[in-house]
Amino acid sequence: MKAVVVEKYGDPDVLTLVDIPAPHAGRGEVRIRVYAAAVNPADRMFRVGDLDAALTSDVPRPVRPGMDVAGVIDQVGVGTDTDLQRGDPVMAMVNPIDKSGGAYAEDVVQAQWLWSRHLA
């Protein structure tokens, strides 16, 4: 899948489009097919390196920014207890310093405790 990452800190031209393995929803997770991701001040802070101290060793490099996402559920993890179903429109806040990465990707996986209500 395609994703936008920060391989080095700097101006917006350091954002790079790369191919990465597509994530899959596990137990307690859903996968969102991203239709839109917002750019907010925290994303700029990641891009220029102001939040470097927040990145722990388990955060994959290069860093994938993006905190705000809208899209549709396209996978529900086996054994996940939810009323969300494939095709449901959703919006969510993604944690870019989580091991799954930020919202600047074609698909993002969200843990159950991060789910937002579906939009319908």
Side-chain angles (χ1 to χ4, degrees):
M1 84 170 172
K2 301 286 186 199
V4 174
V5 299
V6 174
E7 295 176 332
K8 62 181 181 177
Y9 298 128
D11 292 329
D13 60 346
V14 302
L15 295 169
T16 305
L17 184 64
V18 298
D19 285 307
I20 61 173
H24 297 283
R27 183 174 298 280
E29 296 176 328
V30 296
R31 184 174 67 193
I32 301 169
R33 179 69 173 170
V34 176
Y35 285 7
V39 178
N40 67 43
D43 299 320
R44 181 211 165 270
M45 294 171 74
F46 275 108
R47 181 180 44 79
V48 300
D50 289 349
L51 296 178
D52 192 55
L55 301 176
T56 61
S57 62
D58 63 340
V59 175
R61 302 301 197 279
V63 175
R64 190 173 78 219
M67 294 181 66
D68 307 306
V69 65
V72 297
I73 299 294
D74 78 342
Q75 187 179 65
V76 177
V78 174
T80 300
D81 182 23
T82 181
D83 64 344
L84 294 173
Q85 300 176 29
R86 287 187 62 184
D88 282 347
V90 293
M91 56 185 278
M93 188 172 102
V94 179
N95 183 354
I97 61 172
D98 182 73
K99 64 182 169 127
S100 60
Y104 293 0
E106 292 179 304
D107 297 299
V108 295
V109 170
Q110 285 288 88
Q112 185 169 1
W113 64 273
L114 291 171
W115 297 347
S116 296
R117 296 293 237 172
H118 64 287
L119 300 176

